[in-house]
Amino acid sequence: MLSFTVVSLFPGMFSSPLNHSILKKAQEKGLISIDLVDLRDFAKDRHRVTDDYPYGGSHGMVMKPEPLIAAIEHVRAKLHHPRVILLSPRGRVLTQPEASRLAQEKELVLICGRYEGIDERVKSFIDDEISIGDYTLSGGEVAAMVLIDALARLIPGVLGNVQSLDEESFADGLLEYPQYTRPEEFRGMRVPEVLLSGDHQRVRTWRREISLKLTRERRPDLLRRARLTPEEKQRFRAGADLYLALVHYPVVDKNGHVVTTAITNMDIHDIARAARTYGLTRFYVVTPVKALQRLALKIVHHWEKGYGSRYNETRKEALSLVRLNDTLDDAILDVERLCGVKPRLIATSARPGAGRTSFAVLKDMLIREVHPYLLLLGTGWGLADPILAQADYILEPIEGDSDYNHLSVRSAAAIILDRLMGKE
Ligand code: 9D3
């Protein structure tokens, strides 16, 4: 039995979500209980005020401490050893492991804030602060409902025996495989043959494979923490931390002037195939020129969705890594969105210079550090100075034993990827 006590200015918001389906049944079965406490009842002044202007001035209002503390003390006195949680954008972000831990508790008190925040002194009366993610809500109520829902389904008996399955699929940390039900054919789309085969081993293998691919593509951050077999690690985890960007602006021409270069078909194809070969999951093509973006999209679309996808499956697999971006910052943001942290930038340059990082040192970092890196390749005569200045590392140049040093960006990409990600 897990008892929730919710303190809120809007207890009425909870009635509908808590009185349907699983949460309703869980309460009926006595597996969870939810008590709603109206914060307004603890505002003891004549006008029952719960908010006030912020000291120091700013927009919006702040929740006064007195009613909140009165409510917390009231519910603490009625319970045994509750854990008092404030729902707050500043809290630890709720995850499945965090939900599992909290579901072990017997009594949870959930404090829902409103307005622009609560008086800081209330924090010393609470045990924990939880957020449900990096976006802004209007108050803690919806977050409290999310928390209740996530915890309730972990209480034995709430889901019946499907429970174990639910935990299992999250426990290995992968995204779920696609599901189908009848009919076998819907508007020309057939249920994959393997699911009709009755061969359970084949079904398991197929589902696992799709989960792994989907996770690599959409949530590489999960993949790094997922439980994989050694063989799966080899195939899916290697290289998940290196990303590649081919920059068409700002780069320099042979006179050192900053220019925008044109996209070339062959660069996109060859570098995408190299990226896929070395286990990368994204290849960003950066150009501010919309017409060139459209051209590149046409190429990618032909091979991904059009005739080319049927003509050449492996080409399709490589080009699925390609993403088009207006600016390098957009590519950086996309890596950050995927991984949860900003990538470190590795610039490349054909010119030697002070403070260049060697391939050996960088390779070592890539193996050791659980952190994304974005490798920047310049077209034309190379990346412009502002980008070199922005980079965390500048890779040493590739040099042959000659006085000629004019590799194409495609060749350089392949050599760099092999030196950083290739098997010995
Ligand atoms: C000016 C800064 N704002 C913080 C992002 C002020 C602010 C906005 C909205 C403070 C609180 C709120 C209300 N949000 C919650 O109470 C809340 C919340 C959320 O907004 N996002 C994710 N999880 C949560 S848990 C509680």
Side-chain angles (χ1 to χ4, degrees), residues 244 271 274 278 375 377 398 408-418:
L244 193 60
I271 297 174
Y278 290 93
L375 182 70
L377 298 168
I398 301 166
S408 71
V409 70
R410 301 188 292 285
S411 300
I415 293 168
I416 292 170
L417 287 179
D418 190 67

Side-chain angles (χ1 to χ4, degrees), residues 243-408:
Y243 298 83
L244 193 60
L246 181 66
V247 178
H248 296 81
Y249 175 86
V251 294
V252 291
D253 67 8
K254 65 180 169 190
N255 300 315
H257 297 132
V258 174
V259 292
T260 303
T261 55
I263 281 181
T264 70
N265 186 0
M266 227 187 301
D267 282 346
I268 297 181
H269 275 99
D270 288 6
I271 297 174
R273 290 159 74 181
R276 178 66 189 91
T277 299
Y278 290 93
L280 276 61
T281 55
R282 285 284 188 281
F283 168 35
Y284 299 98
V285 176
V286 176
T287 176
V289 185
K290 291 288 180 201
L292 291 174
Q293 284 189 14
R294 277 196 296 279
L295 170 74
L297 277 174
K298 240 174 93 181
I299 296 169
V300 171
H301 189 268
H302 168 77
W303 290 100
E304 259 209 293
K305 305 263 158 58
Y307 172 69
S309 66
R310 276 157 278 142
Y311 174 75
N312 188 332
E313 278 277 336
T314 59
R315 191 70 64 90
K316 166 180 166 178
E317 197 176 333
L319 286 171
S320 73
L321 308 189
V322 175
R323 296 291 181 279
L324 281 144
N325 290 107
D326 293 340
T327 65
L328 179 57
D329 283 337
D330 292 331
I332 293 171
L333 274 176
D334 193 65
V335 178
E336 187 178 359
R337 193 179 54 74
L338 283 169
C339 305
V341 283
K342 264 202 170 54
R344 295 181 187 136
L345 301 184
I346 311 165
T348 54
S349 171
R351 288 160 292 170
R356 298 287 194 259
T357 304
S358 72
F359 283 98
V361 165
L362 199 57
K363 179 168 191 174
D364 200 58
M365 278 195 298
L366 287 172
I367 293 167
R368 270 174 221 286
E369 311 232 344
V370 187
H371 196 92
Y373 289 81
L374 179 60
L375 182 70
L376 311 177
L377 298 168
T379 52
W381 263 252
L383 296 166
D385 283 339
I387 291 205
L388 296 181
Q390 189 191 347
D392 298 287
Y393 309 96
I394 303 179
L395 197 52
E396 63 181 334
I398 301 166
E399 286 174 303
D401 195 8
S402 83
D403 58 358
Y404 185 91
N405 186 1
H406 298 284
L407 288 171
S408 71

Side-chain angles (χ1 to χ4, degrees), residues 48 77-78 82 87 89 102 135 153 157 165 186 251 272 351 400 420:
R48 306 228 283 165
K78 291 218 303 194
L87 283 308
L102 289 172
Y135 36 79
R153 39 188 303 118
L165 279 177
F186 173 70
V251 294
R351 288 160 292 170
L420 294 178

Side-chain angles (χ1 to χ4, degrees), residues 64-328:
K64 291 165 65 63
E66 302 91 335
L68 274 166
I69 300 308
I72 291 172
E73 287 179 337
H74 172 81
V75 299
R76 273 199 199 274
K78 291 218 303 194
L79 297 164
H80 299 280
H81 298 287
R83 182 153 158 165
V84 179
I85 297 173
L86 174 69
L87 283 308
S88 146
R90 276 210 226 149
R92 263 176 298 126
V93 176
L94 184 66
T95 57
Q96 195 63 24
E98 185 68 47
S100 297
R101 271 194 295 281
L102 289 172
Q104 308 300 312
E105 299 278 339
K106 289 200 162 52
E107 298 170 327
L108 293 176
V109 176
L110 308 181
I111 312 290
C112 305
R114 277 274 147 180
Y115 314 119
E116 283 304 296
I118 70 170
D119 187 291
E120 191 66 23
R121 291 164 292 190
V122 171
K123 304 285 168 76
S124 55
F125 292 78
I126 60 168
D127 305 315
D128 230 336
E129 283 183 66
I130 302 266
S131 159
I132 62 163
D134 295 337
Y135 36 79
T136 305
L137 302 172
S138 309
E141 285 78 8
V142 171
M145 292 180 224
V146 168
L147 183 65
I148 292 171
D149 189 83
L151 266 51
R153 39 188 303 118
L154 296 171
I155 308 292
V158 168
L159 291 186
N161 45 14
V162 227
Q163 177 110 28
S164 47
L165 279 177
D166 197 60
E167 281 172 10
E168 206 176 283
S169 78
F170 238 116
D172 59 19
L174 298 175
L175 296 182
E176 267 177 77
Y177 49 80
Q179 302 268 24
Y180 295 86
T181 184
R182 287 189 291 185
E184 233 176 85
E185 184 176 329
F186 173 70
R187 301 211 175 166
M189 296 175 283
R190 292 193 52 77
V191 173
E193 184 274 327
V194 52
L195 298 180
L196 310 172
S197 69
D199 181 340
H200 297 300
Q201 187 50 48
R202 258 185 83 210
V203 170
R204 251 198 306 281
T205 308
W206 180 83
R207 285 179 168 164
R208 180 81 184 170
E209 194 67 16
I210 298 210
S211 278
L212 284 161
K213 280 191 176 149
L214 215 54
T215 312
R216 176 174 62 194
E217 171 140 341
R218 297 197 189 169
R219 296 292 305 275
D221 58 318
L222 293 183
L223 202 55
R224 249 177 293 127
R225 270 167 271 148
R227 271 198 240 160
L228 307 186
T229 66
E231 186 265 345
E232 287 171 341
K233 274 185 198 167
Q234 267 288 314
R235 280 195 307 139
F236 287 92
R237 203 135 73 177
D241 278 285
L242 186 64
Y243 298 83
L244 193 60
L246 181 66
V247 178
H248 296 81
Y249 175 86
V251 294
V252 291
D253 67 8
K254 65 180 169 190
N255 300 315
H257 297 132
V258 174
V259 292
T260 303
T261 55
I263 281 181
T264 70
N265 186 0
M266 227 187 301
D267 282 346
I268 297 181
H269 275 99
D270 288 6
I271 297 174
R273 290 159 74 181
R276 178 66 189 91
T277 299
Y278 290 93
L280 276 61
T281 55
R282 285 284 188 281
F283 168 35
Y284 299 98
V285 176
V286 176
T287 176
V289 185
K290 291 288 180 201
L292 291 174
Q293 284 189 14
R294 277 196 296 279
L295 170 74
L297 277 174
K298 240 174 93 181
I299 296 169
V300 171
H301 189 268
H302 168 77
W303 290 100
E304 259 209 293
K305 305 263 158 58
Y307 172 69
S309 66
R310 276 157 278 142
Y311 174 75
N312 188 332
E313 278 277 336
T314 59
R315 191 70 64 90
K316 166 180 166 178
E317 197 176 333
L319 286 171
S320 73
L321 308 189
V322 175
R323 296 291 181 279
L324 281 144
N325 290 107
D326 293 340
T327 65
L328 179 57

